[in-house]
Amino acid sequence: MKTAFITGATSGFGKAIAFRFAGLGYNLIVTGRREERLNELIRDLKSEFDIEILPLCYDIRDNKACTTAFQSLPEYFRNIDILINNAGLAAGASPFQDSDLADYEQMIDTNVKGLLYMTKLVVPGMIERQSGHIVNLSSIAGIEVYPNGSVYCASKHAVNAITKGLRIDLIKHGIKVSSVSPGMAETEFSIVRYHGDEEKAKAVYNGLTPLNAEDIADAVEFIVTRPAHVSINDIQINPTQQANTYIAHRK
Ligand code: NDP
Ligand code: 8X3
């Protein structure tokens, strides 16, 4: 049985991807900071699927915690076939000059440094086995820059650069590196971005049907189920009512 390591599986895309991979018969390592959510996820997955699942509860911004968690993996879970670098967030939506440095640090530390920490830990095993697949959750914000999103967009531009760079460096080891770049998707993302203000979060999707977590799981499933000789570099996926980060057709 193959093993997938999914970061940020306590909510949104990561959770949907965990269920999708369970359905594909993968053993799973799932991560997040909220222990109760992880326990709930394990319970729900176990009740539906006959797979092995290991929860790892840690803050991905903390390299030491990433390393300790990774080193705690039992032998059975050490051969990671797929790494889904999904944990991430936007914090705040204000002009650069009005927003908090702490928000910038949280986004860079999670979306960029956390992704690097996990990739650095998982890649040596993939090189040893000369196979593997890394899928990074990027964003349309990695392609375009929009008002009040400079640092979130910067973090996702960095994810794209890392994705492309890894693809170049790992090509000789038979390791695929892909990304998914969604537009607006309704998860806990906007609640987190607006620091818990559910009204503001809801308003982001006013008058349109956003993507949902299952749509992203569809894209990830497509990416990881291609034949060995096919690499999907990126899937950019938007709601039908969103042309780009500026133009949304709201009814
Ligand atoms: P959610 O807020 O629903 O989920 C985010 C996940 O990331 C949670 O499981 C959370 O777990 C985890 N996470 C956040 N910070 C940390 C941390 N410091 N340490 C460990 N885990 C962390 O958002 P989405 O599912 O929507 O987002 C998933 C990814 O997709 C992100 O990278 C986001 O930038 C990207 N994305 C989202 C889009 C959207 O519109 N929703 C569109 C494009 C990209 P916990 O809180 O338990 O730690
Ligand atoms: C999340 C999508 O448009 O809010 O990455 O940046 S967007």
Side-chain angles (χ1 to χ4, degrees), residues 13 137-144 146 152 180-187 189-190 204-205 208-212 215-216 235-240 242-245:
F13 301 166
L137 250 300
S138 185
S139 168
I140 192 170
I143 300 165
E144 300 168 13
Y146 53 81
Y152 179 67
V180 183
S181 301
M184 279 187 270
E186 193 164 10
T187 58
F189 177 84
S190 290
V204 171
Y205 313 108
L208 58 79
T209 306
L211 298 171
N212 57 55
D215 299 321
I216 308 312
I235 292 183
Q236 204 283 299
I237 171 173
N238 276 14
T240 305
Q242 182 184 19
N244 55 36
T245 54

PDB file of all heavy atoms in Angstrom, residues 13 137-144 146 152 180-187 189-190 204-205 208-212 215-216 235-240 242-245:
ATOM      1  N   PHE A  13      -9.306  21.915   2.234  1.00  0.00           N
ATOM      2  CA  PHE A  13      -8.744  21.077   1.167  1.00  0.00           C
ATOM      3  C   PHE A  13      -8.066  19.828   1.736  1.00  0.00           C
ATOM      4  O   PHE A  13      -8.225  18.729   1.211  1.00  0.00           O
ATOM      5  CB  PHE A  13      -7.687  21.838   0.355  1.00  0.00           C
ATOM      6  CG  PHE A  13      -8.159  23.099  -0.322  1.00  0.00           C
ATOM      7  CD1 PHE A  13      -7.232  24.007  -0.835  1.00  0.00           C
ATOM      8  CD2 PHE A  13      -9.513  23.390  -0.464  1.00  0.00           C
ATOM      9  CE1 PHE A  13      -7.636  25.170  -1.472  1.00  0.00           C
ATOM     10  CE2 PHE A  13      -9.930  24.563  -1.102  1.00  0.00           C
ATOM     11  CZ  PHE A  13      -8.989  25.451  -1.600  1.00  0.00           C
ATOM     12  N   LEU A 137       0.079  23.146  -2.586  1.00  0.00           N
ATOM     13  CA  LEU A 137      -1.106  24.005  -2.718  1.00  0.00           C
ATOM     14  C   LEU A 137      -0.644  25.433  -2.908  1.00  0.00           C
ATOM     15  O   LEU A 137      -0.225  26.095  -1.961  1.00  0.00           O
ATOM     16  CB  LEU A 137      -2.006  23.846  -1.494  1.00  0.00           C
ATOM     17  CG  LEU A 137      -3.316  23.122  -1.780  1.00  0.00           C
ATOM     18  CD1 LEU A 137      -4.175  23.843  -2.827  1.00  0.00           C
ATOM     19  CD2 LEU A 137      -3.034  21.701  -2.290  1.00  0.00           C
ATOM     20  N   SER A 138      -0.711  25.860  -4.152  1.00  0.00           N
ATOM     21  CA  SER A 138      -0.418  27.252  -4.450  1.00  0.00           C
ATOM     22  C   SER A 138      -1.744  27.985  -4.520  1.00  0.00           C
ATOM     23  O   SER A 138      -2.672  27.684  -3.762  1.00  0.00           O
ATOM     24  CB  SER A 138       0.385  27.357  -5.742  1.00  0.00           C
ATOM     25  OG  SER A 138       0.745  28.695  -5.955  1.00  0.00           O
ATOM     26  N   SER A 139      -1.897  28.907  -5.464  1.00  0.00           N
ATOM     27  CA  SER A 139      -3.120  29.717  -5.527  1.00  0.00           C
ATOM     28  C   SER A 139      -3.064  30.551  -6.793  1.00  0.00           C
ATOM     29  O   SER A 139      -1.981  30.787  -7.354  1.00  0.00           O
ATOM     30  CB  SER A 139      -3.171  30.643  -4.310  1.00  0.00           C
ATOM     31  OG  SER A 139      -4.181  31.633  -4.472  1.00  0.00           O
ATOM     32  N   ILE A 140      -4.218  31.054  -7.182  1.00  0.00           N
ATOM     33  CA  ILE A 140      -4.224  32.075  -8.235  1.00  0.00           C
ATOM     34  C   ILE A 140      -3.395  33.284  -7.754  1.00  0.00           C
ATOM     35  O   ILE A 140      -2.825  34.023  -8.566  1.00  0.00           O
ATOM     36  CB  ILE A 140      -5.677  32.484  -8.596  1.00  0.00           C
ATOM     37  CG1 ILE A 140      -5.694  33.308  -9.887  1.00  0.00           C
ATOM     38  CG2 ILE A 140      -6.351  33.223  -7.444  1.00  0.00           C
ATOM     39  CD1 ILE A 140      -7.088  33.551 -10.439  1.00  0.00           C
ATOM     40  N   ALA A 141      -3.282  33.417  -6.431  1.00  0.00           N
ATOM     41  CA  ALA A 141      -2.461  34.480  -5.845  1.00  0.00           C
ATOM     42  C   ALA A 141      -0.974  34.251  -6.090  1.00  0.00           C
ATOM     43  O   ALA A 141      -0.153  35.142  -5.837  1.00  0.00           O
ATOM     44  CB  ALA A 141      -2.731  34.591  -4.344  1.00  0.00           C
ATOM     45  N   GLY A 142      -0.617  33.096  -6.589  1.00  0.00           N
ATOM     46  CA  GLY A 142       0.771  32.830  -6.975  1.00  0.00           C
ATOM     47  C   GLY A 142       1.045  33.253  -8.406  1.00  0.00           C
ATOM     48  O   GLY A 142       2.187  33.210  -8.872  1.00  0.00           O
ATOM     49  N   ILE A 143      -0.022  33.635  -9.101  1.00  0.00           N
ATOM     50  CA  ILE A 143       0.101  34.000 -10.514  1.00  0.00           C
ATOM     51  C   ILE A 143      -0.179  35.488 -10.694  1.00  0.00           C
ATOM     52  O   ILE A 143       0.470  36.171 -11.476  1.00  0.00           O
ATOM     53  CB  ILE A 143      -0.896  33.153 -11.354  1.00  0.00           C
ATOM     54  CG1 ILE A 143      -0.578  31.650 -11.177  1.00  0.00           C
ATOM     55  CG2 ILE A 143      -0.845  33.554 -12.831  1.00  0.00           C
ATOM     56  CD1 ILE A 143      -1.678  30.727 -11.650  1.00  0.00           C
ATOM     57  N   GLU A 144      -1.172  35.972  -9.951  1.00  0.00           N
ATOM     58  CA  GLU A 144      -1.552  37.382 -10.032  1.00  0.00           C
ATOM     59  C   GLU A 144      -1.344  38.025  -8.654  1.00  0.00           C
ATOM     60  O   GLU A 144      -1.308  37.336  -7.646  1.00  0.00           O
ATOM     61  CB  GLU A 144      -3.036  37.511 -10.406  1.00  0.00           C
ATOM     62  CG  GLU A 144      -3.386  36.890 -11.746  1.00  0.00           C
ATOM     63  CD  GLU A 144      -4.890  36.775 -11.964  1.00  0.00           C
ATOM     64  OE1 GLU A 144      -5.668  37.396 -11.205  1.00  0.00           O
ATOM     65  OE2 GLU A 144      -5.282  36.060 -12.881  1.00  0.00           O
ATOM     66  N   TYR A 146      -3.087  40.994  -6.202  1.00  0.00           N
ATOM     67  CA  TYR A 146      -4.296  41.815  -6.095  1.00  0.00           C
ATOM     68  C   TYR A 146      -4.208  42.770  -4.907  1.00  0.00           C
ATOM     69  O   TYR A 146      -3.379  42.559  -3.999  1.00  0.00           O
ATOM     70  CB  TYR A 146      -5.546  40.924  -6.016  1.00  0.00           C
ATOM     71  CG  TYR A 146      -5.520  39.848  -4.948  1.00  0.00           C
ATOM     72  CD1 TYR A 146      -5.820  40.128  -3.624  1.00  0.00           C
ATOM     73  CD2 TYR A 146      -5.199  38.534  -5.288  1.00  0.00           C
ATOM     74  CE1 TYR A 146      -5.804  39.139  -2.655  1.00  0.00           C
ATOM     75  CE2 TYR A 146      -5.183  37.538  -4.324  1.00  0.00           C
ATOM     76  CZ  TYR A 146      -5.478  37.844  -3.013  1.00  0.00           C
ATOM     77  OH  TYR A 146      -5.451  36.861  -2.054  1.00  0.00           O
ATOM     78  N   TYR A 152       0.444  37.727   1.076  1.00  0.00           N
ATOM     79  CA  TYR A 152      -0.106  36.406   0.743  1.00  0.00           C
ATOM     80  C   TYR A 152       0.289  36.045  -0.690  1.00  0.00           C
ATOM     81  O   TYR A 152       0.744  34.920  -0.949  1.00  0.00           O
ATOM     82  CB  TYR A 152      -1.633  36.398   0.898  1.00  0.00           C
ATOM     83  CG  TYR A 152      -2.237  35.045   0.538  1.00  0.00           C
ATOM     84  CD1 TYR A 152      -1.985  33.924   1.323  1.00  0.00           C
ATOM     85  CD2 TYR A 152      -3.030  34.888  -0.599  1.00  0.00           C
ATOM     86  CE1 TYR A 152      -2.514  32.681   0.985  1.00  0.00           C
ATOM     87  CE2 TYR A 152      -3.563  33.654  -0.938  1.00  0.00           C
ATOM     88  CZ  TYR A 152      -3.304  32.552  -0.142  1.00  0.00           C
ATOM     89  OH  TYR A 152      -3.821  31.317  -0.478  1.00  0.00           O
ATOM     90  N   VAL A 180      -1.313  22.967  -7.416  1.00  0.00           N
ATOM     91  CA  VAL A 180      -2.703  23.301  -7.719  1.00  0.00           C
ATOM     92  C   VAL A 180      -2.871  24.767  -7.340  1.00  0.00           C
ATOM     93  O   VAL A 180      -2.415  25.189  -6.267  1.00  0.00           O
ATOM     94  CB  VAL A 180      -3.698  22.436  -6.909  1.00  0.00           C
ATOM     95  CG1 VAL A 180      -5.132  22.761  -7.303  1.00  0.00           C
ATOM     96  CG2 VAL A 180      -3.416  20.965  -7.120  1.00  0.00           C
ATOM     97  N   SER A 181      -3.501  25.527  -8.226  1.00  0.00           N
ATOM     98  CA  SER A 181      -3.621  26.978  -8.016  1.00  0.00           C
ATOM     99  C   SER A 181      -5.083  27.408  -8.083  1.00  0.00           C
ATOM    100  O   SER A 181      -5.555  27.898  -9.107  1.00  0.00           O
ATOM    101  CB  SER A 181      -2.802  27.717  -9.096  1.00  0.00           C
ATOM    102  OG  SER A 181      -1.454  27.328  -9.044  1.00  0.00           O
ATOM    103  N   PRO A 182      -5.801  27.241  -6.983  1.00  0.00           N
ATOM    104  CA  PRO A 182      -7.231  27.576  -7.002  1.00  0.00           C
ATOM    105  C   PRO A 182      -7.479  29.080  -6.859  1.00  0.00           C
ATOM    106  O   PRO A 182      -6.709  29.805  -6.229  1.00  0.00           O
ATOM    107  CB  PRO A 182      -7.798  26.846  -5.776  1.00  0.00           C
ATOM    108  CG  PRO A 182      -6.700  25.955  -5.273  1.00  0.00           C
ATOM    109  CD  PRO A 182      -5.423  26.591  -5.715  1.00  0.00           C
ATOM    110  N   GLY A 183      -8.610  29.480  -7.414  1.00  0.00           N
ATOM    111  CA  GLY A 183      -9.182  30.785  -7.101  1.00  0.00           C
ATOM    112  C   GLY A 183     -10.038  30.634  -5.855  1.00  0.00           C
ATOM    113  O   GLY A 183      -9.757  29.800  -4.983  1.00  0.00           O
ATOM    114  N   MET A 184     -11.128  31.414  -5.799  1.00  0.00           N
ATOM    115  CA  MET A 184     -11.931  31.447  -4.566  1.00  0.00           C
ATOM    116  C   MET A 184     -12.564  30.095  -4.221  1.00  0.00           C
ATOM    117  O   MET A 184     -13.310  29.541  -5.035  1.00  0.00           O
ATOM    118  CB  MET A 184     -13.064  32.459  -4.736  1.00  0.00           C
ATOM    119  CG  MET A 184     -12.632  33.880  -4.513  1.00  0.00           C
ATOM    120  SD  MET A 184     -14.061  34.972  -4.535  1.00  0.00           S
ATOM    121  CE  MET A 184     -14.113  35.379  -6.262  1.00  0.00           C
ATOM    122  N   ALA A 185     -12.276  29.612  -3.040  1.00  0.00           N
ATOM    123  CA  ALA A 185     -12.855  28.351  -2.575  1.00  0.00           C
ATOM    124  C   ALA A 185     -13.335  28.544  -1.138  1.00  0.00           C
ATOM    125  O   ALA A 185     -12.589  29.085  -0.303  1.00  0.00           O
ATOM    126  CB  ALA A 185     -11.818  27.241  -2.641  1.00  0.00           C
ATOM    127  N   GLU A 186     -14.537  28.109  -0.867  1.00  0.00           N
ATOM    128  CA  GLU A 186     -15.078  28.322   0.482  1.00  0.00           C
ATOM    129  C   GLU A 186     -14.688  27.175   1.410  1.00  0.00           C
ATOM    130  O   GLU A 186     -15.151  26.044   1.267  1.00  0.00           O
ATOM    131  CB  GLU A 186     -16.597  28.504   0.455  1.00  0.00           C
ATOM    132  CG  GLU A 186     -17.102  29.039   1.792  1.00  0.00           C
ATOM    133  CD  GLU A 186     -18.503  29.596   1.722  1.00  0.00           C
ATOM    134  OE1 GLU A 186     -19.177  29.406   0.693  1.00  0.00           O
ATOM    135  OE2 GLU A 186     -18.933  30.226   2.715  1.00  0.00           O
ATOM    136  N   THR A 187     -13.818  27.512   2.347  1.00  0.00           N
ATOM    137  CA  THR A 187     -13.381  26.589   3.410  1.00  0.00           C
ATOM    138  C   THR A 187     -13.334  27.460   4.669  1.00  0.00           C
ATOM    139  O   THR A 187     -14.090  28.412   4.764  1.00  0.00           O
ATOM    140  CB  THR A 187     -11.967  26.054   3.066  1.00  0.00           C
ATOM    141  OG1 THR A 187     -11.090  27.188   2.924  1.00  0.00           O
ATOM    142  CG2 THR A 187     -11.949  25.240   1.779  1.00  0.00           C
ATOM    143  N   PHE A 189     -10.778  29.192   5.073  1.00  0.00           N
ATOM    144  CA  PHE A 189      -9.747  30.137   4.615  1.00  0.00           C
ATOM    145  C   PHE A 189     -10.086  31.599   4.911  1.00  0.00           C
ATOM    146  O   PHE A 189      -9.268  32.331   5.485  1.00  0.00           O
ATOM    147  CB  PHE A 189      -9.538  29.920   3.114  1.00  0.00           C
ATOM    148  CG  PHE A 189      -8.555  30.858   2.478  1.00  0.00           C
ATOM    149  CD1 PHE A 189      -7.193  30.603   2.517  1.00  0.00           C
ATOM    150  CD2 PHE A 189      -8.985  32.004   1.819  1.00  0.00           C
ATOM    151  CE1 PHE A 189      -6.281  31.469   1.920  1.00  0.00           C
ATOM    152  CE2 PHE A 189      -8.084  32.878   1.227  1.00  0.00           C
ATOM    153  CZ  PHE A 189      -6.730  32.611   1.277  1.00  0.00           C
ATOM    154  N   SER A 190     -11.298  32.042   4.523  1.00  0.00           N
ATOM    155  CA  SER A 190     -11.627  33.471   4.682  1.00  0.00           C
ATOM    156  C   SER A 190     -11.900  33.815   6.151  1.00  0.00           C
ATOM    157  O   SER A 190     -11.634  34.937   6.587  1.00  0.00           O
ATOM    158  CB  SER A 190     -12.824  33.847   3.803  1.00  0.00           C
ATOM    159  OG  SER A 190     -12.434  33.805   2.446  1.00  0.00           O
ATOM    160  N   VAL A 204     -17.173  37.435   1.073  1.00  0.00           N
ATOM    161  CA  VAL A 204     -16.213  37.180  -0.017  1.00  0.00           C
ATOM    162  C   VAL A 204     -16.905  36.445  -1.166  1.00  0.00           C
ATOM    163  O   VAL A 204     -16.597  36.652  -2.338  1.00  0.00           O
ATOM    164  CB  VAL A 204     -15.017  36.342   0.516  1.00  0.00           C
ATOM    165  CG1 VAL A 204     -14.110  35.872  -0.615  1.00  0.00           C
ATOM    166  CG2 VAL A 204     -14.230  37.139   1.552  1.00  0.00           C
ATOM    167  N   TYR A 205     -17.892  35.604  -0.810  1.00  0.00           N
ATOM    168  CA  TYR A 205     -18.520  34.726  -1.814  1.00  0.00           C
ATOM    169  C   TYR A 205     -19.915  35.215  -2.213  1.00  0.00           C
ATOM    170  O   TYR A 205     -20.659  34.485  -2.875  1.00  0.00           O
ATOM    171  CB  TYR A 205     -18.569  33.286  -1.282  1.00  0.00           C
ATOM    172  CG  TYR A 205     -17.242  32.869  -0.686  1.00  0.00           C
ATOM    173  CD1 TYR A 205     -17.072  32.725   0.694  1.00  0.00           C
ATOM    174  CD2 TYR A 205     -16.140  32.677  -1.507  1.00  0.00           C
ATOM    175  CE1 TYR A 205     -15.841  32.385   1.242  1.00  0.00           C
ATOM    176  CE2 TYR A 205     -14.897  32.338  -0.971  1.00  0.00           C
ATOM    177  CZ  TYR A 205     -14.762  32.196   0.407  1.00  0.00           C
ATOM    178  OH  TYR A 205     -13.541  31.867   0.927  1.00  0.00           O
ATOM    179  N   LEU A 208     -21.878  34.609  -5.819  1.00  0.00           N
ATOM    180  CA  LEU A 208     -21.252  33.622  -6.721  1.00  0.00           C
ATOM    181  C   LEU A 208     -21.138  32.266  -6.032  1.00  0.00           C
ATOM    182  O   LEU A 208     -21.242  32.167  -4.808  1.00  0.00           O
ATOM    183  CB  LEU A 208     -19.886  34.103  -7.231  1.00  0.00           C
ATOM    184  CG  LEU A 208     -18.772  34.455  -6.254  1.00  0.00           C
ATOM    185  CD1 LEU A 208     -18.074  33.218  -5.725  1.00  0.00           C
ATOM    186  CD2 LEU A 208     -17.750  35.335  -6.966  1.00  0.00           C
ATOM    187  N   THR A 209     -20.968  31.258  -6.849  1.00  0.00           N
ATOM    188  CA  THR A 209     -20.764  29.914  -6.296  1.00  0.00           C
ATOM    189  C   THR A 209     -19.270  29.630  -6.293  1.00  0.00           C
ATOM    190  O   THR A 209     -18.665  29.448  -7.356  1.00  0.00           O
ATOM    191  CB  THR A 209     -21.495  28.852  -7.150  1.00  0.00           C
ATOM    192  OG1 THR A 209     -22.865  29.236  -7.265  1.00  0.00           O
ATOM    193  CG2 THR A 209     -21.396  27.484  -6.518  1.00  0.00           C
ATOM    194  N   PRO A 210     -18.665  29.645  -5.099  1.00  0.00           N
ATOM    195  CA  PRO A 210     -17.212  29.418  -5.043  1.00  0.00           C
ATOM    196  C   PRO A 210     -16.876  27.948  -5.273  1.00  0.00           C
ATOM    197  O   PRO A 210     -17.767  27.089  -5.262  1.00  0.00           O
ATOM    198  CB  PRO A 210     -16.858  29.831  -3.614  1.00  0.00           C
ATOM    199  CG  PRO A 210     -18.102  29.583  -2.830  1.00  0.00           C
ATOM    200  CD  PRO A 210     -19.260  29.803  -3.763  1.00  0.00           C
ATOM    201  N   LEU A 211     -15.601  27.672  -5.458  1.00  0.00           N
ATOM    202  CA  LEU A 211     -15.142  26.288  -5.442  1.00  0.00           C
ATOM    203  C   LEU A 211     -15.350  25.736  -4.040  1.00  0.00           C
ATOM    204  O   LEU A 211     -15.493  26.499  -3.081  1.00  0.00           O
ATOM    205  CB  LEU A 211     -13.649  26.221  -5.774  1.00  0.00           C
ATOM    206  CG  LEU A 211     -13.210  26.722  -7.150  1.00  0.00           C
ATOM    207  CD1 LEU A 211     -11.684  26.778  -7.224  1.00  0.00           C
ATOM    208  CD2 LEU A 211     -13.762  25.817  -8.252  1.00  0.00           C
ATOM    209  N   ASN A 212     -15.358  24.412  -3.932  1.00  0.00           N
ATOM    210  CA  ASN A 212     -15.370  23.797  -2.606  1.00  0.00           C
ATOM    211  C   ASN A 212     -14.204  22.813  -2.505  1.00  0.00           C
ATOM    212  O   ASN A 212     -13.491  22.569  -3.493  1.00  0.00           O
ATOM    213  CB  ASN A 212     -16.727  23.130  -2.325  1.00  0.00           C
ATOM    214  CG  ASN A 212     -17.058  22.092  -3.378  1.00  0.00           C
ATOM    215  OD1 ASN A 212     -16.270  21.175  -3.609  1.00  0.00           O
ATOM    216  ND2 ASN A 212     -18.200  22.240  -4.043  1.00  0.00           N
ATOM    217  N   ASP A 215     -13.766  20.053  -5.045  1.00  0.00           N
ATOM    218  CA  ASP A 215     -13.231  20.445  -6.360  1.00  0.00           C
ATOM    219  C   ASP A 215     -11.705  20.360  -6.364  1.00  0.00           C
ATOM    220  O   ASP A 215     -11.083  19.970  -7.362  1.00  0.00           O
ATOM    221  CB  ASP A 215     -13.659  21.881  -6.719  1.00  0.00           C
ATOM    222  CG  ASP A 215     -15.173  22.033  -6.817  1.00  0.00           C
ATOM    223  OD1 ASP A 215     -15.838  21.114  -7.327  1.00  0.00           O
ATOM    224  OD2 ASP A 215     -15.694  23.080  -6.370  1.00  0.00           O
ATOM    225  N   ILE A 216     -11.121  20.752  -5.246  1.00  0.00           N
ATOM    226  CA  ILE A 216      -9.648  20.720  -5.169  1.00  0.00           C
ATOM    227  C   ILE A 216      -9.173  19.268  -5.034  1.00  0.00           C
ATOM    228  O   ILE A 216      -8.166  18.879  -5.646  1.00  0.00           O
ATOM    229  CB  ILE A 216      -9.129  21.579  -3.981  1.00  0.00           C
ATOM    230  CG1 ILE A 216      -9.733  22.990  -4.039  1.00  0.00           C
ATOM    231  CG2 ILE A 216      -7.603  21.620  -3.971  1.00  0.00           C
ATOM    232  CD1 ILE A 216      -9.684  23.712  -5.382  1.00  0.00           C
ATOM    233  N   ILE A 235      -2.400  22.844 -11.985  1.00  0.00           N
ATOM    234  CA  ILE A 235      -3.804  22.997 -12.381  1.00  0.00           C
ATOM    235  C   ILE A 235      -4.287  24.308 -11.781  1.00  0.00           C
ATOM    236  O   ILE A 235      -4.303  24.468 -10.547  1.00  0.00           O
ATOM    237  CB  ILE A 235      -4.681  21.827 -11.898  1.00  0.00           C
ATOM    238  CG1 ILE A 235      -4.290  20.541 -12.643  1.00  0.00           C
ATOM    239  CG2 ILE A 235      -6.166  22.149 -12.124  1.00  0.00           C
ATOM    240  CD1 ILE A 235      -5.148  19.332 -12.293  1.00  0.00           C
ATOM    241  N   GLN A 236      -4.624  25.241 -12.642  1.00  0.00           N
ATOM    242  CA  GLN A 236      -5.208  26.507 -12.180  1.00  0.00           C
ATOM    243  C   GLN A 236      -6.715  26.368 -12.327  1.00  0.00           C
ATOM    244  O   GLN A 236      -7.240  26.156 -13.409  1.00  0.00           O
ATOM    245  CB  GLN A 236      -4.666  27.675 -13.020  1.00  0.00           C
ATOM    246  CG  GLN A 236      -4.727  29.023 -12.302  1.00  0.00           C
ATOM    247  CD  GLN A 236      -6.130  29.640 -12.279  1.00  0.00           C
ATOM    248  OE1 GLN A 236      -6.696  29.909 -13.327  1.00  0.00           O
ATOM    249  NE2 GLN A 236      -6.671  29.867 -11.095  1.00  0.00           N
ATOM    250  N   ILE A 237      -7.418  26.494 -11.234  1.00  0.00           N
ATOM    251  CA  ILE A 237      -8.851  26.169 -11.215  1.00  0.00           C
ATOM    252  C   ILE A 237      -9.617  27.287 -10.500  1.00  0.00           C
ATOM    253  O   ILE A 237      -9.249  27.693  -9.397  1.00  0.00           O
ATOM    254  CB  ILE A 237      -9.063  24.771 -10.550  1.00  0.00           C
ATOM    255  CG1 ILE A 237     -10.525  24.466 -10.309  1.00  0.00           C
ATOM    256  CG2 ILE A 237      -8.286  24.631  -9.269  1.00  0.00           C
ATOM    257  CD1 ILE A 237     -10.761  23.037  -9.822  1.00  0.00           C
ATOM    258  N   ASN A 238     -10.652  27.790 -11.173  1.00  0.00           N
ATOM    259  CA  ASN A 238     -11.442  28.908 -10.629  1.00  0.00           C
ATOM    260  C   ASN A 238     -12.917  28.552 -10.579  1.00  0.00           C
ATOM    261  O   ASN A 238     -13.367  27.692 -11.336  1.00  0.00           O
ATOM    262  CB  ASN A 238     -11.334  30.122 -11.559  1.00  0.00           C
ATOM    263  CG  ASN A 238     -10.106  30.953 -11.310  1.00  0.00           C
ATOM    264  OD1 ASN A 238      -9.182  30.521 -10.631  1.00  0.00           O
ATOM    265  ND2 ASN A 238     -10.086  32.143 -11.869  1.00  0.00           N
ATOM    266  N   PRO A 239     -13.681  29.290  -9.782  1.00  0.00           N
ATOM    267  CA  PRO A 239     -15.135  29.210  -9.942  1.00  0.00           C
ATOM    268  C   PRO A 239     -15.499  29.743 -11.334  1.00  0.00           C
ATOM    269  O   PRO A 239     -14.807  30.637 -11.846  1.00  0.00           O
ATOM    270  CB  PRO A 239     -15.683  30.161  -8.878  1.00  0.00           C
ATOM    271  CG  PRO A 239     -14.552  30.478  -7.971  1.00  0.00           C
ATOM    272  CD  PRO A 239     -13.295  30.258  -8.732  1.00  0.00           C
ATOM    273  N   THR A 240     -16.567  29.227 -11.904  1.00  0.00           N
ATOM    274  CA  THR A 240     -16.978  29.687 -13.239  1.00  0.00           C
ATOM    275  C   THR A 240     -17.227  31.191 -13.240  1.00  0.00           C
ATOM    276  O   THR A 240     -16.997  31.869 -14.243  1.00  0.00           O
ATOM    277  CB  THR A 240     -18.250  28.925 -13.665  1.00  0.00           C
ATOM    278  OG1 THR A 240     -17.948  27.521 -13.580  1.00  0.00           O
ATOM    279  CG2 THR A 240     -18.671  29.266 -15.083  1.00  0.00           C
ATOM    280  N   GLN A 242     -15.586  33.430 -11.635  1.00  0.00           N
ATOM    281  CA  GLN A 242     -14.372  34.212 -11.376  1.00  0.00           C
ATOM    282  C   GLN A 242     -13.431  34.093 -12.575  1.00  0.00           C
ATOM    283  O   GLN A 242     -12.873  33.023 -12.847  1.00  0.00           O
ATOM    284  CB  GLN A 242     -13.651  33.710 -10.110  1.00  0.00           C
ATOM    285  CG  GLN A 242     -12.414  34.525  -9.782  1.00  0.00           C
ATOM    286  CD  GLN A 242     -11.612  33.994  -8.598  1.00  0.00           C
ATOM    287  OE1 GLN A 242     -11.744  32.833  -8.203  1.00  0.00           O
ATOM    288  NE2 GLN A 242     -10.756  34.836  -8.033  1.00  0.00           N
ATOM    289  N   ALA A 243     -13.234  35.214 -13.297  1.00  0.00           N
ATOM    290  CA  ALA A 243     -12.334  35.193 -14.462  1.00  0.00           C
ATOM    291  C   ALA A 243     -10.880  35.259 -14.012  1.00  0.00           C
ATOM    292  O   ALA A 243     -10.015  34.559 -14.529  1.00  0.00           O
ATOM    293  CB  ALA A 243     -12.645  36.365 -15.392  1.00  0.00           C
ATOM    294  N   ASN A 244     -10.609  36.121 -13.053  1.00  0.00           N
ATOM    295  CA  ASN A 244      -9.258  36.268 -12.495  1.00  0.00           C
ATOM    296  C   ASN A 244      -9.416  36.914 -11.110  1.00  0.00           C
ATOM    297  O   ASN A 244     -10.532  36.983 -10.593  1.00  0.00           O
ATOM    298  CB  ASN A 244      -8.361  37.091 -13.441  1.00  0.00           C
ATOM    299  CG  ASN A 244      -8.971  38.447 -13.778  1.00  0.00           C
ATOM    300  OD1 ASN A 244      -9.617  39.071 -12.941  1.00  0.00           O
ATOM    301  ND2 ASN A 244      -8.785  38.895 -15.002  1.00  0.00           N
ATOM    302  N   THR A 245      -8.342  37.381 -10.531  1.00  0.00           N
ATOM    303  CA  THR A 245      -8.487  37.893  -9.161  1.00  0.00           C
ATOM    304  C   THR A 245      -9.251  39.225  -9.126  1.00  0.00           C
ATOM    305  O   THR A 245      -9.695  39.665  -8.064  1.00  0.00           O
ATOM    306  CB  THR A 245      -7.114  38.085  -8.465  1.00  0.00           C
ATOM    307  OG1 THR A 245      -6.305  38.909  -9.292  1.00  0.00           O
ATOM    308  CG2 THR A 245      -6.429  36.772  -8.219  1.00  0.00           C
TER     309      THR A 245
END
